C-alpha cells in the first residue's frame, strides 16, 4: 500500500473500533476501505477480522465496570460465541459469499426492529419472568450461536444482532448488555482469527494498521459510549443498522 492508503486504513481502524465498542458494524468501515484499495474480498475480510480483534478486546476492557456480576452469563453465552465463530470462519473458507451475504440485510433490519421494541419486550418479560428464563433459555443461547456463525463468516453488524437479541430476551441495563456484547464479539473474532492465521492468506500490513487503529478506537468508543442515555443509544443502534443494510444491498 501507498503511504496515504496506509494512513486511510489506520483512520478507518480507529472509526471501526469506536463504532464496534458502542454498537458494532465497524467492519462496514474497514472492509469497504480495503476493497477500495484493490484487496480481493476474502483477503480483505480475513485481514480485517484479524485487525479488529485488538479493538474488540480494548472495547471489552473499556466496559469492564459494566461486566461486574455477569460472569455466569458471559461463560454461558461465550461458549455459543466460540462455537459459532469457529463454524462461521470455516464457512468463509469453504463457501461462496453470495448466498450467505444475501440474507445479511434482513438479519440486520430484524435486529433493528428488536432494538426498537426492547422496552416493550422487557416489560412483558418482567411480568412473566421465571428463574429458568432469566438469561433467555435455549432460544437465546441458539440465537447467540447463530450470531457467532454470522460473525465468524463476515462480522458486519454482529453487534447490532446481539443487542437485538439481548433486548428481546434479557432484562438488564442497556450499557451492561453492551459490555456483554463486546466480550462475545471479541470471542467470535478471536476464534475466527486463530483459524485464519493457521490456514488463510493474510495481509499483515493491513491487519496491523487496523489493529493499531481499532485498539485506540475501542477505548475511545467505550469511554463515550457509556455516556449515551438508553434512548440515544437505541436510536444510534438503529441508524447504524439501517445504514449497514442499505450499504450491503447497494453492494449486491
Amino acid at each position: 500500500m501507498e503511504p496515504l492508503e496506509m494512513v486511510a486504513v489506520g483512520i478507518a481502524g480507529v472509526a471501526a473500533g469506536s463504532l464496534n465498542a458502542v454498537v458494532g458494524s465497524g467492519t462496514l468501515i474497514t472492509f469497504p476501505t480495503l476493497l477500495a484499495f484493490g484487496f480481493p474480498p476474502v483477503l480483505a475480510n480475513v485481514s480485517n477480522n484479524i485487525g479488529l480483534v485488538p479493538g474488540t478486546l480494548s472495547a471489552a476492557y473499556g466496559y469492564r465496570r459494566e461486566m461486574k456480576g455477569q460472569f455466569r452469563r458471559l461463560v454461558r453465552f461465550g461458549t455459543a460465541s466460540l462455537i459459532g465463530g469457529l463454524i462461521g470462519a470455516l464457512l468463509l473458507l469453504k463457501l461462496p459469499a453470495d448466498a450467505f451475504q444475501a440474507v445479511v440485510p434482513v438479519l440486520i433490519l430484524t435486529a433493528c426492529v428488536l432494538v426498537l421494541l426492547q422496552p416493550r419486550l422487557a416489560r412483558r418479560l418482567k411480568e412473566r419472568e421465571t428463574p429458568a428464563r432469566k438469561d433467555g433459555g435455549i432460544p437465546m443461547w441458539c440465537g447467540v450461536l447463530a450470531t457467532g456463525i454470522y460473525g465468524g463468516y463476515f462480522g458486519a453488524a454482529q453487534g447490532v444482532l446481539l443487542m437485538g437479541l439481548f433486548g428481546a430476551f434479557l432484562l438488564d441495563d442497556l450499557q451492561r448488555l453492551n459490555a456483554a456484547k463486546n466480550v462475545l464479539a471479541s470471542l467470535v473474532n478471536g476464534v475466527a482469527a486463530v483459524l485464519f492465521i493457521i490456514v488463510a492468506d493474510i495481509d499483515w500490513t493491513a491487519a496491523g494498521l487496523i489493529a493499531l487503529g481499532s485498539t485506540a478506537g475501542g477505548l475511545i468508543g467505550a469511554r463515550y459510549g457509556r455516556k449515551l442515555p438508553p434512548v440515544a443509544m437505541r436510536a444510534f443502534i438503529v441508524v447504524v443498522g439501517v445504514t449497514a443494510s442499505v450499504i450491503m444491498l447497494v453492494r449486491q
Side-chain angles (χ1 to χ4, degrees):
M1 287 187 290
E2 298 293 330
L4 287 179
E5 292 177 346
M6 295 174 68
V7 171
V9 171
I11 293 173
V14 174
S18 300
L19 190 58
N20 279 339
V22 179
V23 55
S25 296
T27 291
L28 291 176
I29 297 175
T30 46
F31 181 68
T33 300
L34 294 180
L35 291 181
F37 293 146
F39 282 71
V42 173
L43 177 62
N45 196 15
V46 168
S47 303
N48 177 66
N49 175 284
I50 293 172
L52 288 178
V53 170
T56 56
L57 290 173
S58 69
Y61 176 78
Y63 269 92
R64 61 194 180 281
R65 214 166 51 206
E66 286 77 8
M67 283 190 283
K68 291 181 180 178
Q70 297 199 72
F71 179 76
R72 292 182 64 183
R73 172 185 290 171
L74 293 175
V75 169
R76 184 177 178 219
F77 294 148
T79 303
S81 292
L82 285 171
I83 295 172
L86 181 59
I87 294 173
L90 288 170
L91 288 174
L92 175 65
L93 297 175
K94 296 295 183 181
L95 300 177
D98 294 345
F100 194 83
Q101 191 171 342
V103 303
V104 170
V106 176
L107 292 174
I108 297 173
L109 290 174
T110 300
C112 290
V113 172
L114 291 175
V115 170
L116 284 174
L117 294 177
Q118 191 270 339
R120 182 177 298 180
L121 292 168
R123 285 196 298 270
R124 290 188 177 182
L125 285 173
K126 191 173 183 179
E127 291 172 358
R128 58 187 182 185
E129 183 183 10
T130 62
R133 295 192 58 185
K134 185 176 181 180
D135 260 349
I138 294 176
M140 180 65 194
W141 194 91
C142 292
V144 174
L145 174 67
T147 303
I149 293 173
Y150 166 69
Y153 187 92
F154 182 50
Q158 70 168 310
V160 176
L161 293 172
L162 281 172
M163 291 301 288
L165 282 170
F166 289 167
F169 287 98
L170 304 183
L171 294 168
D172 209 335
D173 175 74
L174 203 60
Q175 295 292 355
R176 280 171 51 81
L177 295 178
N178 196 48
K181 177 266 294 179
N182 286 332
V183 173
L184 298 183
S186 68
L187 291 175
V188 170
N189 290 350
V191 71
V194 170
L195 180 63
F196 294 153
I197 289 171
I198 294 173
V199 302
D201 292 328
I202 302 161
D203 188 299
W204 286 106
T205 300
L209 290 169
I210 293 173
L212 289 173
S214 67
T215 300
L219 294 173
I220 293 170
R223 179 176 180 180
Y224 293 103
R226 65 157 52 91
K227 297 180 180 179
L228 290 173
V231 173
M233 188 172 181
R234 195 170 289 114
F236 185 51
I237 291 171
V238 172
V239 169
V240 170
V242 171
T243 303
S245 298
V246 172
I247 291 173
M248 298 193 72
L249 285 171
V250 169
R251 291 188 63 86
Q252 288 182 11

